[in-house]
Amino acid sequence: MTTVYFVRHAEPDLSNHNDLTRDLTPKGIEDRKFLIDYFKNKKLDVAFSSPFKRAIRTIEPVAKSRNLKINQISEFCERKIGDEWISNFHEYCQKQWFDFDYKLENGESLNDTQKRNINALKNILANYPDKNIIIGSHGTAIGTIINYFDSNFDYPAFSKIQPIMPFVAKFNFSGDKVDYRIIAFNSKN
């Protein structure tokens, strides 16, 4: 069995509109402690992340505690929205979840995002069988992965996890069988 822990980044600093360099807020940095506690007694063999700073920084303490190098995989980045900053992000997000082909100019649809993420996941599963893997990623990207394996994971299900930063989506892959569960961490709770 291969276990993959997709970790959604902690709270990002939205004053930086650059997806690649956007870091965590002080709260986001503090909330990484939830992950340290969660992974304390879990075996991890390899670490991957989106190249986006907030994803890397979220799993960094866990990877360091295991002496794991974080391998960056660009396919695990968040979907590209377009060339402009979206002020009403929730409305845009809802449109995408109701139409997986909806995208803005120079942006990605959820179908595009899902295909990219699933291809990267399949490569990891083929190259790291029977390993325990942590992957730093993003809410929508992880949501499309969940949707790929569970078509009942739709916009209402996504909207429940959307405000949670960080969270873990734990997948167990055994042959053709896949099961998952979401572990939520939030200092607001």
Side-chain angles (χ1 to χ4, degrees):
M1 180 171 66
T2 304
T3 300
V4 178
Y5 300 93
F6 277 100
V7 179
R8 193 241 180 129
H9 62 78
E11 184 178 82
D13 177 2
L14 296 178
S15 69
N16 178 353
H17 294 184
N18 183 307
D19 253 347
L20 186 62
T21 62
R22 185 176 308 129
D23 203 351
L24 302 176
T25 63
K27 178 186 180 307
I29 291 168
E30 175 69 17
D31 286 349
R32 297 181 306 175
K33 70 179 180 242
F34 298 120
L35 298 171
I36 294 167
D37 290 343
Y38 175 74
F39 286 105
K40 186 170 25 177
N41 297 314
K42 291 176 179 47
K43 182 178 189 278
L44 292 173
D45 300 300
V46 64
F48 296 97
S49 180
S50 150
F52 291 4
K53 188 173 186 176
R54 62 192 182 274
I56 295 167
R57 294 256 295 152
T58 298
I59 67 165
E60 206 168 44
V62 174
K64 281 184 178 180
S65 73
R66 309 301 170 77
N67 295 315
L68 295 175
K69 176 187 176 212
I70 299 173
N71 303 288
Q72 295 180 32
I73 297 181
S74 61
E75 289 82 3
F76 285 129
C77 68
E78 184 62 288
R79 55 98 162 72
K80 182 173 177 9
I81 292 172
D83 294 330
E84 295 183 26
W85 184 256
I86 300 291
S87 58
N88 191 341
F89 185 74
H90 292 290
E91 180 182 308
Y92 165 76
C93 189
Q94 188 174 18
K95 281 182 184 178
Q96 282 206 303
W97 275 90
F98 285 112
D99 178 1
F100 259 47
D101 290 317
Y102 176 78
K103 62 183 172 183
L104 299 177
E105 186 175 343
N106 297 319
E108 285 183 297
S109 70
L110 293 189
N111 269 328
D112 297 333
T113 305
Q114 185 181 66
K115 287 174 190 167
R116 177 172 44 77
N117 276 271
I118 292 299
N119 285 338
L121 175 59
K122 286 179 178 179
N123 285 334
I124 285 176
L125 293 173
N127 290 308
Y128 298 92
D130 301 317
K131 299 293 183 190
N132 296 296
I133 302 160
I134 185 171
I135 301 174
S137 192
H138 307 271
T140 302
I142 296 169
T144 65
I145 293 167
I146 296 170
N147 173 269
Y148 179 84
F149 294 107
D150 178 4
S151 61
N152 292 318
F153 189 87
D154 54 7
Y155 180 74
F158 174 74
S159 66
K160 289 178 185 172
I161 64 168
Q162 188 179 22
I164 303 170
M165 295 179 245
F167 71 74
V168 174
K170 178 184 177 185
F171 286 83
N172 290 316
F173 297 91
S174 183
D176 290 338
K177 186 176 181 226
V178 179
D179 63 53
Y180 77 93
R181 68 184 187 106
I182 297 170
I183 300 95
F185 310 99
N186 197 326
S187 63
K188 294 176 190 172
N189 294 340

